[in-house]
Amino acid sequence: MDQYEMMTETPEETGAFAEKLAQYLQPGDVITLEGDLGAGKTTFTKGLAKGLGVMKTVNSPTFTIIKEYKGRLPFYHMDVYRLDDSFEDLGFEEYFEGEGVTVVEWAHLIKDQLPGELLNLSIYREGDTSRRIVLKPYGQRYNELCKEIVS
Ligand code: ADP
Ligand code: MG
């Protein structure tokens, strides 16, 4: 499997990268985010939402697991960190197969419920504001997408 990597040096750069990625997204796309608390998952998500034309402020859905926004495409933001039971059926599939773009923070917690094709991003803290972003595409389309956006 191919793997792509890039560095960002500021939160703005992470946001800008996400915004750029958003331009390529289609209905039914799923992006999973991994990384420790404070790595930048929500920062990335905010940039992606902006790139999708979401006008509302996107915050970490602390008590709600799933939040929906209107943009160029519907945008579904999931943060499953506080999910008590990873097998709890919140109807994830309907989102993954829906008309919108889904971003899942802490996705490994629901790995059995994830679709086979998705784009996985892991964000690693390398310094105060340095982040290494590792992209793992599952599926041909996401692989092409990575080639396009990671130069
Ligand atoms: P997570 O959702 O992974 O817990 P957040 O996005 O909420 O992380 O928080 C990341 C924090 O790190 C923010 O305060 C952000 O400003 C800061 N930060 C510093 N440098 C970067 C960077 N290069 N990319 C993303 N966030 C960064
Ligand atoms: Mg977060």
Side-chain angles (χ1 to χ4, degrees):
M1 183 185 58
D2 288 340
Q3 178 170 308
Y4 302 80
E5 236 183 85
M6 60 166 305
M7 295 288 300
T8 66
E9 301 301 335
T10 62
E12 290 74 23
E13 265 185 51
T14 297
F17 173 66
E19 214 178 315
K20 177 179 161 193
L21 170 63
Q23 309 311 315
Y24 295 88
L25 296 178
Q26 299 173 359
D29 278 347
V30 177
I31 296 175
T32 58
L33 299 179
E34 301 293 348
D36 294 339
L37 266 179
K41 299 182 295 299
T42 299
T43 302
F44 177 91
T45 304
K46 285 171 188 274
L48 196 96
K50 190 177 169 204
L52 284 173
V54 173
M55 302 306 280
K56 274 195 184 168
T57 304
V58 172
N59 289 309
S60 236
T62 308
F63 297 108
T64 19
I65 303 289
I66 305 169
K67 277 196 187 171
E68 297 188 39
Y69 300 88
K70 285 195 181 74
R72 168 174 76 81
L73 299 170
F75 175 56
Y76 314 127
H77 181 200
M78 301 181 185
D79 186 327
V80 298
Y81 185 63
R82 281 177 188 77
L83 200 62
D84 301 323
D85 171 5
S86 56
F87 295 100
E88 191 177 346
D89 188 1
L90 294 177
F92 294 117
E93 261 175 47
E94 280 185 41
Y95 291 93
F96 299 145
E97 291 164 8
E99 287 303 299
V101 168
T102 308
V103 165
V104 192
E105 298 190 41
W106 304 100
H108 68 274
L109 295 173
I110 57 160
K111 69 174 182 322
D112 293 336
Q113 302 187 58
L114 295 172
E117 301 215 344
L118 55 80
L119 177 60
N120 172 254
L121 268 69
S122 297
I123 308 176
Y124 300 96
R125 232 187 124 129
E126 298 284 331
D128 241 10
T129 67
S130 291
R131 301 290 188 272
R132 185 158 53 92
I133 303 178
V134 178
L135 298 90
K136 291 184 190 159
Y138 294 85
Q140 184 63 26
R141 184 183 121 57
Y142 292 107
N143 198 40
E144 297 299 324
L145 202 156
C146 284
K147 282 185 195 160
E148 199 74 42
I149 57 165
V150 182
S151 41

